[in-house]
Amino acid sequence: MKIAIPKEQRPDESRVAASPETVKKLINLGFEVAVEKGAGLGAAIPDEAYEKAGATIAADATVAFGSADVVAKVRRPLPEETKGLKSGTLVISIMDPFRAGDELKPLQEAGVTSFAMDLIPRITRAQSMDVLSSQSNLAGYKAVLDAAAVYGSAFPQRMPPPGTVPRARALVMGAGVAGLQAIATAKRLGAIVSATDVRPAAKEQVESLGGKFVAVEDEEFKQAETAGGYAKEMSDEYKKKQAALTAETIAKMDIVITTALIPGRPAPKLISKEMVESMKPGSVIVDLAVETGGNCELSEPGKVVDHNGVKIVGYVNVPSRLAADASALYARNIYNFIELLVDKEEKKLAVNWEDQIVAETCVIRDGKLVHPALGGEIETPKEEAPAEPAAEEEKSDDSSDGQGG
C-alpha cells in the first residue's frame, strides 16, 4: 500500500495532513509513505523529520500521486491537482462538498473515491476522527487572541495607582466546540463572558465554564437540537425574539465572537449593521463564520473592517494560523480514519462500505457522486448513537471559578 502526502496548494493553507508521528504509525499499518518536498514547512515540520520517521520525499505531487493508493490532504484537491491521480485512488481531505461547485467534477473524471473528513458523523466511535472538533477547538482559542490583538484595551481588571481599568465584557455567539473554547480562553484572559446558543444543552456547558447564558428559553428553544448534536434552524418568530435580546446584550459588549454554523447552509446572520452601530467605538467583533457568509452583516473575508470605530475581524481559515498544532491534530484524525480502511493482519486496504463512518463520509465512489445530500443515491447504514457534545474541550488550569474549555 502506498500513501501520498502532498503540499497544500491553496494560498491560505499552511497545514499538512501527516506528522512524523503519524508517518511512523502509517508505516506500521503497512504503508509506504511519500511526502511531497516542503509539504510540512508551513507547520514547522522539515523534510528531514519525515525522512527520519521513515517517509520518502517526493520531488513534486505528480511523482507522489502517480503510484499512490491513498492520497491524504488537508483541503479538497484543486482541479490541476487531480491530473496525477490514478483511477481508484482513495482521496481523503476536508472536502467542503456543499461549496465545492465544479471542483468535484475533475475528481469524478479521474475515477477516484473521495472521503470528506468534514462529514465525519457525530457518533462516539468517530470522535477520534472528528476534524470539525479538533480544528474548531483551535479556532475558538485563536479568535480570542485575535480579538485581544485588535482590541485597544486590556481584558482583565487593572488597579494601577492612577485608577481602575474595568474588565472587558465579551459575548460568544454559538457554544459549540469553537465557542466553548472561546469562552474558556476569554475567561483565562480576565474578561466577563456571556454566551448565546439555540441548543438547550449549551446552557449547562456555558455556565460550567463560568459564563452567563443569554437566550430566549421558550418551548421552541427546548427542541432546538438535532440528534447529531447540531443546532436546528429556528423559526422566524424565535429569531426575532432572540435578535431583540441579542441587540440589547451586544450594545454592552467590548468583544463579540461569532461561531454559528449550519452544516450545508450559509451562516446565519446574527449581527446586523444596527447592532454594530450600537456598540462602543473600540469594540471588536471576530466572525469565525465569515467564509460561509458570515454571522455579521458587515464582515468581509480576509479583512478587518472598521465601521464607526468598531473593528470587525474576518480572518479566513483560522486553524491554519495555528498550523503546527492544527496539523498535529488533523494528522491524527486522518490516521484514525485510514486505520478504519485497513486490514491490519493482511496489511492491505479493506474498505467496509457497510460502516456508517465510511458511508457517510464518502462523496465520490469510483468516479460517481454518491453522497445523498449531493444528489447521490447510496443507502447509508442505520445511524449509531450520537457522541456526547463538546468532547474535544480541554480542562482549564483555573478550577476555582469553574473555568475550562
Side-chain angles (χ1 to χ4, degrees):
M1 300 184 294
K2 296 183 179 181
I3 183 168
I5 311 295
K7 182 178 181 180
E8 297 298 314
Q9 298 301 310
R10 296 176 190 269
D12 65 339
E13 188 55 73
S14 299
R15 292 172 292 179
V16 64
S19 64
E21 173 200 0
T22 61
V23 164
K24 292 178 182 177
K25 290 182 176 181
L26 288 166
I27 290 171
N28 288 337
L29 274 184
F31 282 99
E32 296 176 25
V33 183
V35 178
E36 183 180 358
K37 183 178 181 181
L41 294 180
I45 306 173
D47 293 341
E48 293 76 15
Y50 286 119
E51 287 184 302
K52 189 175 179 180
T56 59
I57 303 301
D60 56 51
T62 303
V63 173
F65 282 180
S67 60
D69 302 299
V70 178
V71 172
K73 293 186 83 278
V74 178
R75 305 275 288 281
R76 179 183 64 247
L78 293 166
E80 55 267 30
E81 293 182 87
T82 64
K83 295 176 182 177
L85 292 169
K86 70 177 183 179
S87 179
T89 299
L90 305 186
V91 179
I92 305 168
S93 68
I94 298 172
M95 288 287 292
D96 193 9
F98 301 109
R99 294 192 297 152
D102 291 338
E103 288 189 8
L104 293 181
K105 290 182 180 178
L107 289 167
Q108 292 177 256
E109 292 168 358
V112 304
T113 292
S114 181
F115 295 98
M117 292 298 293
D118 42 329
L119 295 181
I120 292 286
R122 288 283 176 90
I123 58 176
T124 301
R125 188 165 58 89
Q127 285 183 322
S128 65
M129 311 167 203
D130 189 349
V131 166
L132 295 182
S133 290
S134 72
Q135 303 301 293
S136 294
N137 188 294
L138 290 172
Y141 165 79
K142 184 63 172 172
V144 177
L145 299 189
D146 288 337
V150 174
Y151 185 50
S153 301
F155 271 47
Q157 179 174 290
R158 298 295 183 192
M159 292 184 287
T164 300
V165 176
R167 295 171 72 184
R169 292 181 176 273
L171 174 67
V172 178
M173 304 186 74
V177 174
L180 291 172
Q181 187 57 251
I183 293 167
T185 305
K187 286 284 291 181
R188 292 187 186 107
L189 291 182
I192 299 171
V193 185
S194 300
T196 68
D197 197 285
V198 297
R199 295 172 300 122
K203 180 177 181 179
E204 182 179 348
Q205 294 168 332
V206 168
E207 292 176 345
S208 73
L209 300 178
K212 177 184 177 182
F213 191 67
V214 180
V216 176
E217 299 184 43
D218 60 10
E219 287 302 314
E220 182 176 359
F221 171 80
K222 295 175 183 178
Q223 306 295 325
E225 188 171 346
T226 68
Y230 294 102
K232 287 183 179 178
E233 180 78 14
M234 305 299 281
S235 70
D236 290 341
E237 182 181 354
Y238 183 89
K239 288 178 182 178
K240 288 179 182 178
K241 291 188 288 186
Q242 182 69 9
L245 179 59
T246 300
E248 179 185 342
T249 304
I250 281 177
K252 305 171 186 175
M253 295 295 148
D254 302 299
I255 306 291
V256 179
I257 295 170
T258 69
T259 71
L261 293 168
I262 301 173
R265 301 279 297 279
K269 286 290 184 280
L270 304 178
I271 303 178
S272 66
K273 178 181 177 182
E274 290 73 25
M275 291 179 187
V276 175
E277 292 174 348
S278 75
M279 297 178 74
K280 301 183 296 289
S283 302
V284 177
I285 297 170
V286 178
D287 190 344
L288 284 180
V290 69
E291 292 175 85
T292 56
N295 295 143
C296 178
E297 185 180 344
L298 301 179
S299 62
E300 296 183 31
K303 297 182 179 180
V304 177
V305 176
D306 189 323
H307 186 79
N308 294 344
V310 177
K311 291 185 172 61
I312 306 156
V313 179
Y315 296 145
V316 299
N317 196 5
V318 174
S320 183
R321 300 177 63 240
L322 293 168
D325 286 337
S327 296
L329 293 174
Y330 181 72
R332 291 171 196 155
N333 293 146
I334 283 280
Y335 171 78
N336 290 329
F337 181 75
I338 290 173
E339 190 178 30
L340 193 68
L341 311 178
V342 173
D343 183 320
K344 295 180 182 178
E345 291 186 4
E346 298 193 15
K347 294 188 181 298
K348 68 177 184 180
L349 289 170
V351 181
N352 176 12
W353 295 105
E354 298 301 315
D355 188 297
Q356 181 187 348
I357 299 172
V358 172
E360 292 190 15
T361 55
C362 186
V363 174
I364 298 167
R365 182 173 176 181
D366 297 326
K368 296 180 181 179
L369 193 66
V370 295
H371 199 280
L374 297 166
E377 299 180 355
I378 192 167
E379 189 173 316
T380 58
K382 183 179 179 182
E383 292 187 1
E384 299 176 28
E388 290 296 320
E392 286 285 334
E393 278 71 56
E394 61 176 352
K395 294 297 180 185
S396 168
D397 54 5
D398 184 0
S399 58
S400 61
D401 70 11
Q403 188 178 327

